[in-house]
Amino acid sequence: MSHDNSIRKGVTRQKLDELHAAAKGDRWRFVAMAPRLAMGMLRGKSLMEMISSDAMNECFIPISPMQGEFLYVTARALGVKNIVEFGTSFGISTIYLAAALKDSGGGRVISTELEPNKCKKARENLKQAGVAEYAEIREGDAMETLADLSEPVDLVLLDGWKDLYLPVLELIKPNLRPGSIILADNIFTFRKALRPYVEYMQSGENGFSSTTLDIADGFEYSVYLG
Ligand SMILES: C[S@@+](CC[C@H](N)C(=O)[O-])C[C@H]1O[C@@H](n2cnc3c(N)ncnc32)[C@H](O)[C@@H]1O
């Protein structure tokens, strides 16, 4: 275990700053999409349906810098080795997680992303951030790319489209060990779509202890009790 904190210095910090700055451009991408979103709403489409359309291919929709710090320290505090992430986008959250593994002596993030262009960019970004060897980006639908996990999973980040949080969690559940941590983003923004997930995690009947943290858009923090 080293005392390094690579998210605070060098190429990792530089790349994170560059990506967080580029992600601020999402607000203009959303403005450009507004007419299309309004049409969708008039046609009765749900926010989830519209948000998962091709129009989002260029959007980062990343975790916040504070969530990144939180992910980093969580991964470091527990000596985590195997991390699974649903929803890579351009790799911002993956860089925080991979940096924690690098600084604590090794491990691997398996992250998955539907969009080929985002996968390519995420791999480049991880390389430029100096943490590529700690991450594997699996291109495709999480329900397929995460179906063959062989190692026990210590930490999970759920940040893909919201209707799949529960199915993806159920897919990974056999690989969890008592004490594994599951973080799920956007609980406040997608309250309705994520209600089944939050109820499942907080009911106390499915092997989890869970609470919603008031960080960014709401971060569900769950521990698997076995
Ligand atoms: C909110 S973004 C992820 C942001 C990323 N975690 C970060 O902080 O930079 C969600 C991503 O999940 C991807 N995604 C959605 N459904 C997916 C699925 N079924 N399998 C794999 N990736 C998916 C989307 O293409 C999108 O890029």
Side-chain angles (χ1 to χ4, degrees), residues 61-63 86-88 92-93 113-114 118 140-142 159-161 164:
I61 5 177
I63 56 158
F86 166 43
T88 319
I92 292 182
S93 47
E113 171 55 54
L114 270 179
K118 285 186 167 183
D141 184 346
D159 195 21
W161 301 153
L164 282 184

